[in-house]
Amino acid sequence: MGIQNTLKALGDPIRREILELLKSGRLTAGEISEKFPVSGAAVSKHLSVLKDADLIRDTRNGKYILYELNTSVLEEVMLWLTGLKGEKND
């Protein structure tokens, strides 16, 4: 996947808001779609980009697909960004 896909995915405000929603727990695509003034197809595309960047995971529960954060990728990005600051340990 790489940092390039991750940063691209984080560059869109709707995708960042989807990540904010998923902080509270797993949601279906329908539950996520209810929060945005865009089509379900647009939300599906955003979910696909987030999934391709490995920022979210999906699991099937009966006829529903539940989406959740993949915090390990976010932690990697945060560590990389922190390293860019160049702070020295005292």
Side-chain angles (χ1 to χ4, degrees), residues 15-63:
R15 290 194 283 267
R16 290 192 305 268
E17 197 168 335
I18 290 171
L19 295 174
E20 285 288 329
L21 288 172
L22 292 174
K23 273 192 333 188
S24 301
R26 301 184 320 171
L27 295 171
T28 66
E31 292 169 326
I32 295 168
S33 291
E34 291 173 353
K35 308 290 184 188
F36 298 96
V38 297
S39 69
V43 170
S44 179
K45 176 65 177 166
H46 287 299
L47 290 170
S48 178
V49 170
L50 290 168
K51 189 175 172 193
D52 288 346
D54 209 21
L55 289 166
I56 62 172
R57 298 181 188 151
D58 62 353
T59 54
R60 184 166 290 281
N61 185 6
K63 66 178 185 171

